[in-house]
Every structure is written in structure tokens, then in C-alpha cells.
Amino acid sequence: MSHSIIKVSASAMEQMKQSYAGSLTPAVPQGAVFQAKPPGCTITAYRSGKVLFQGKNAGTEAARWGTAETPKAKKTVKKAADPLYAPPAGIASMSVIGSDEVGTGDYFGPITVACAYADKTKLSLMRELGVKDSKDLKDPQIIEIAKLLIKTIPYSLLVLKNEKYNQMQEKGMSQGKMKALLHNQAISNLLRKMNGVKPEAILIDQFAEPGIYFKHLSGRDIVKEKTFFSTKAESIHLSVAAASIIARYSFLIEMDKLSREAGMTIPKGAGPHVDEAAAKLIINKGEGALRTFTKLHFANTQKAKRLVERKRS
Ligand code: MG
């Protein structure tokens, strides 16, 4: 199926809508102004001004309104990874400190940041222990592998509980800055633990552009030497996969503790089931409990309060 994308002004979009008045769909996708289905084409116009044409007549319909953005042009718009901080070739078989975090998108529970050192002589052992991308692992496997890992390789772990998180957030610190501080601290703690053993590289699972990461750390002792960034770094070096497993393990332990404290199961994520749990927590323990259990600034707080109001009325 072919498709075309064009960008139009608000007034042109209104004109298009009128022109397709006879074929507008009753429901529109999220973020869309309108959707129309003239013969052989589905047209979706977005608030951003982009209009997507899909189907066999996509090209001809799009041509009525503007010049399509070619996929090639789109590629050049995409910002290339900062080559200065891209992992070097062959990093997979090097001795590396990897760093990753868990819990940043979860309403309940802390942020846990772990880094782990995988010496190249330990890589095959780590693979035997089952270390791989934690997205492919279920919680029981994470727990089992993490317990073995923390006895096998040097690591360091930081847990930022929500009471502290909320304090920092209310002082105006972004989550990005908190993460940068935690990663830098965890790595520097691990280097100290390693007593002069130097990794060939440090690889951070990228959550911000490297320039921004270092900007967050200005004025502090920054670990910068041989430090590289990559998204999906878990699949680039086992040390990051190990760090991720340890961070997730720690997060699971903390969530268990919170569940025991709350006397109910505290769920992961930030979806509607989380709003329900937060509402239950407010009813059982009072609104003040949110400060220790949750990341208060998430939209879930307001949603949970509304649920409580509804339940009480
Ligand atoms: Mg990550």
C-alpha cells in the first residue's frame, strides 16, 4: 500500500475537510483533526499540520493539496547520533561498565539505577547465567539471574525513593537531571569499588542526548572518560543487560516492600489500573500516603483523586 505525507496550513486543512465533507469518518484517531475515506484512499489530518494519505490513490489525492515529503527528505531531518559518544566497533567483546535504570515511567515505586562491570573474560559465563535483554525476561527469571549476577560481577546500585524524588521534583529538578545524577554517581561508586581496574569502555543506556546528560552534571565530578551512549544498549553489551537485570530486581524488591506496607498489591506502570490502586490507597491510608508511594507529579495523582471523589459521592 502506498502512502504520502504533506504538510499544510490550518486554513488549507479546513479547506480539505470541507472538500472531503462527504467521506468524513465519524471517529478520528488520537491527535487527528479529521479522517476521510474517499475512494481508494484514507486521509488523516493531524493537528501538527501533517496529512497522511494511504491507499492506492494516495499519490493522486495528496498531489491535489501539496508536495509530498519524500521518505529520503525525512531521513535527513532525523538527527544523527552524536558520533563522539557512539560505542566503538567491537565493543561487544570488550571489558565494559554498563548502566541502566528502571522505574522512571512507573507511578508507584522508586527509580533504581544500576551499573555492572562485565570483564571480557566473564562474558561467556554471564551468557550461561542467562543474561540477556531484560525485555525478553519474566520477573521470576530476572530474580533468579540477578541473585547469581550480584555474586559474580562487580556492580553498584542506587535507589531513589519517592519521598526524595518528590522533594527534588518540587524544587524544579527534571527527571532527566535526576537520572543523570544517579547514573554518574552509580558509575563513580563502581569505579571506586573496582580498585584501579579500568574498564575499556563505559556504556550508558541512552535516555538523553550526551550533551544534555553532561550539562545536567556540570559543576560535579563527572565520569566522562571512554563513556559512550546508545539507545537499546542492552543489546550492545552484556554489562548493560546485567545492569538492567539488577535494576529491575531491585525495583521488584521495592515494589514488594511497598505492597506489604500498603496491605495491597502495588502495580507497575502508569495505566488505568494504577489510578485504581492509587484511589484504593488514598481511601485506606489517606492522600498523604501518595508522597511516599508515588511520583506525585504524574497525571495519575489527579485521576486517582477524581476516582476517590466519585466513589465517595
Ligand atoms: Mg534504559
Side-chain angles (χ1 to χ4, degrees):
M1 195 169 80
S2 66
H3 80 271
S4 288
I5 299 168
I6 62 168
K7 185 131 193 215
V8 299
S9 66
S11 61
M13 192 175 280
E14 194 45 45
Q15 235 181 313
M16 288 177 75
K17 189 176 175 184
Q18 281 165 19
S19 158
Y20 292 114
S23 53
L24 292 176
T25 61
V28 297
Q30 211 180 2
V33 177
F34 72 85
Q35 189 171 57
K37 290 189 175 175
C41 188
T42 298
I43 302 164
T44 313
Y46 290 96
R47 278 197 282 273
S48 61
K50 285 201 172 162
V51 186
L52 171 66
F53 298 78
Q54 293 162 292
K56 66 179 190 331
N57 293 340
T60 42
E61 282 295 341
R64 290 176 57 197
W65 302 102
T67 315
E69 294 179 5
T70 64
K72 216 177 180 183
K74 226 170 132 194
K75 244 182 211 160
T76 54
V77 172
K78 200 182 156 208
K79 216 171 147 196
D82 192 334
L84 200 58
Y85 298 106
I91 191 172
S93 51
M94 291 180 187
S95 300
V96 175
I97 286 180
S99 190
D100 198 7
E101 84 282 331
V102 169
T104 55
D106 297 270
Y107 179 56
F108 286 108
I111 293 178
T112 59
V113 174
C115 58
Y117 176 60
D119 190 274
K120 56 183 154 200
T121 60
K122 292 266 176 74
L123 293 174
S124 63
L125 171 65
M126 287 171 71
R127 232 171 263 122
E128 273 170 47
L129 294 181
V131 176
K132 59 179 167 184
D133 196 325
S134 69
K135 281 163 210 82
D136 299 333
L137 297 168
K138 299 248 178 344
D139 288 350
Q141 294 172 290
I142 297 266
I143 293 166
E144 195 188 307
I145 299 166
K147 281 182 177 166
L148 296 170
L149 261 183
I150 57 181
K151 281 185 247 157
T152 311
I153 59 171
Y155 74 99
S156 85
L157 171 69
L158 293 173
V159 177
L160 176 63
K161 297 204 170 168
N162 280 330
E163 209 142 43
K164 187 82 188 290
Y165 176 97
N166 289 323
Q167 278 174 17
M168 293 161 90
Q169 198 277 328
E170 281 157 7
K171 279 186 198 148
M173 191 183 286
S174 67
Q175 204 193 64
K177 180 159 182 170
M178 291 184 218
K179 285 192 268 187
L181 294 173
L182 290 164
H183 276 268
N184 186 60
Q185 188 64 56
I187 294 164
S188 120
N189 291 352
L190 178 55
L191 284 168
R192 208 171 319 119
K193 251 187 183 175
M194 284 164 56
N195 277 326
V197 175
K198 289 258 180 279
E200 291 172 277
I202 296 169
L203 180 58
I204 298 174
D205 188 41
Q206 183 168 328
F207 55 88
E209 291 295 325
I212 292 172
Y213 173 85
F214 289 118
K215 204 171 135 203
H216 283 320
L217 297 173
S218 59
R220 299 168 198 262
D221 280 336
I222 308 176
V223 182
K224 199 168 186 179
E225 201 190 337
K226 294 186 196 157
T227 298
F228 305 100
F229 295 81
S230 175
T231 54
K232 301 199 174 81
E234 286 185 61
S235 55
I236 293 177
H237 197 275
L238 279 183
S239 61
V240 184
S244 179
I245 288 169
I246 294 169
R248 193 161 294 280
Y249 172 58
S250 161
F251 183 76
L252 292 172
I253 291 175
E254 295 299 325
M255 291 296 266
D256 267 355
K257 281 191 214 160
L258 290 178
S259 294
R260 255 177 278 134
E261 242 174 84
M264 57 182 266
T265 304
I266 295 293
K268 290 182 251 177
H273 64 300
V274 166
D275 303 334
E276 285 290 345
K280 201 172 154 191
L281 186 69
I282 294 173
I283 290 167
N284 293 347
K285 299 247 171 197
E287 207 181 298
L290 294 183
R291 181 159 288 276
T292 49
F293 280 83
T294 73
K295 300 180 185 79
L296 271 180
H297 66 116
F298 278 32
N300 303 84
T301 299
Q302 297 313 320
K303 290 183 192 161
K305 282 188 196 171
R306 258 178 262 138
L307 283 175
V308 171
E309 276 167 34
R310 227 174 293 156
K311 281 178 212 267
R312 281 179 178 158
S313 64

Tab-separated table of all heavy atoms in Angstrom, residues 99-102 135 183 205-207 234 240 244, ligand 1:
chain	number	residue	atom	x	y	z
A	99	SER	N	25.348	0.687	32.252
A	99	SER	CA	24.499	1.389	33.217
A	99	SER	C	23.078	1.525	32.670
A	99	SER	O	22.885	1.820	31.494
A	99	SER	CB	25.126	2.759	33.477
A	99	SER	OG	24.504	3.403	34.548
A	100	ASP	N	22.113	1.271	33.549
A	100	ASP	CA	20.712	1.375	33.105
A	100	ASP	C	19.819	1.662	34.306
A	100	ASP	O	20.239	1.490	35.451
A	100	ASP	CB	20.272	0.067	32.433
A	100	ASP	CG	19.025	0.247	31.569
A	100	ASP	OD1	18.570	1.394	31.369
A	100	ASP	OD2	18.508	-0.772	31.080
A	101	GLU	N	18.595	2.111	34.039
A	101	GLU	CA	17.686	2.425	35.142
A	101	GLU	C	16.304	1.827	34.907
A	101	GLU	O	15.949	1.491	33.785
A	101	GLU	CB	17.595	3.933	35.368
A	101	GLU	CG	16.618	4.674	34.491
A	101	GLU	CD	17.117	4.913	33.087
A	101	GLU	OE1	18.335	5.031	32.884
A	101	GLU	OE2	16.274	4.960	32.167
A	102	VAL	N	15.548	1.740	35.981
A	102	VAL	CA	14.183	1.189	35.926
A	102	VAL	C	13.286	2.073	36.793
A	102	VAL	O	13.749	2.679	37.762
A	102	VAL	CB	14.178	-0.273	36.458
A	102	VAL	CG1	12.757	-0.781	36.681
A	102	VAL	CG2	14.902	-1.202	35.490
A	135	LYS	N	14.025	-7.193	28.558
A	135	LYS	CA	12.672	-7.169	27.998
A	135	LYS	C	12.226	-8.566	27.578
A	135	LYS	O	11.038	-8.834	27.442
A	135	LYS	CB	12.617	-6.194	26.816
A	135	LYS	CG	12.524	-4.750	27.277
A	135	LYS	CD	12.882	-3.761	26.184
A	135	LYS	CE	13.483	-2.495	26.757
A	135	LYS	NZ	14.930	-2.601	27.061
A	183	HIS	N	23.044	8.037	37.451
A	183	HIS	CA	23.961	7.234	36.627
A	183	HIS	C	25.411	7.600	36.937
A	183	HIS	O	26.255	6.733	37.151
A	183	HIS	CB	23.684	7.452	35.132
A	183	HIS	CG	22.573	6.595	34.586
A	183	HIS	ND1	22.775	5.366	34.022
A	183	HIS	CD2	21.235	6.790	34.546
A	183	HIS	CE1	21.619	4.844	33.638
A	183	HIS	NE2	20.664	5.699	33.946
A	205	ASP	N	22.902	3.282	28.833
A	205	ASP	CA	21.691	3.145	28.017
A	205	ASP	C	21.097	4.543	27.889
A	205	ASP	O	20.664	5.145	28.867
A	205	ASP	CB	20.703	2.180	28.671
A	205	ASP	CG	19.540	1.869	27.744
A	205	ASP	OD1	19.777	1.693	26.535
A	205	ASP	OD2	18.392	1.817	28.221
A	206	GLN	N	21.082	5.054	26.669
A	206	GLN	CA	20.828	6.486	26.470
A	206	GLN	C	19.395	6.896	26.793
A	206	GLN	O	18.453	6.356	26.252
A	206	GLN	CB	21.169	6.856	25.023
A	206	GLN	CG	21.000	8.342	24.761
A	206	GLN	CD	21.609	8.760	23.435
A	206	GLN	OE1	22.602	8.190	22.996
A	206	GLN	NE2	21.025	9.748	22.805
A	207	PHE	N	19.268	7.878	27.683
A	207	PHE	CA	17.945	8.442	27.991
A	207	PHE	C	17.902	9.921	27.644
A	207	PHE	O	16.847	10.552	27.718
A	207	PHE	CB	17.605	8.228	29.474
A	207	PHE	CG	18.634	8.770	30.424
A	207	PHE	CD1	18.557	10.087	30.854
A	207	PHE	CD2	19.685	7.991	30.854
A	207	PHE	CE1	19.511	10.605	31.719
A	207	PHE	CE2	20.651	8.500	31.713
A	207	PHE	CZ	20.560	9.799	32.141
A	234	GLU	N	21.288	-2.463	25.914
A	234	GLU	CA	21.244	-3.833	26.454
A	234	GLU	C	21.649	-4.861	25.413
A	234	GLU	O	22.168	-5.916	25.748
A	234	GLU	CB	19.810	-4.176	26.898
A	234	GLU	CG	19.384	-3.513	28.169
A	234	GLU	CD	17.987	-4.005	28.588
A	234	GLU	OE1	17.814	-5.197	28.831
A	234	GLU	OE2	17.089	-3.166	28.653
A	240	VAL	N	25.342	-3.899	30.128
A	240	VAL	CA	24.116	-3.088	30.236
A	240	VAL	C	22.926	-4.007	30.531
A	240	VAL	O	22.063	-3.672	31.352
A	240	VAL	CB	23.856	-2.246	28.970
A	240	VAL	CG1	22.641	-1.353	29.166
A	240	VAL	CG2	25.077	-1.401	28.620
A	244	SER	N	20.653	-3.731	33.804
A	244	SER	CA	19.207	-3.643	33.700
A	244	SER	C	18.524	-4.710	34.550
A	244	SER	O	17.522	-4.441	35.223
A	244	SER	CB	18.839	-3.794	32.224
A	244	SER	OG	17.457	-3.744	32.085
B	1	MG	MG	17.228	2.254	29.899
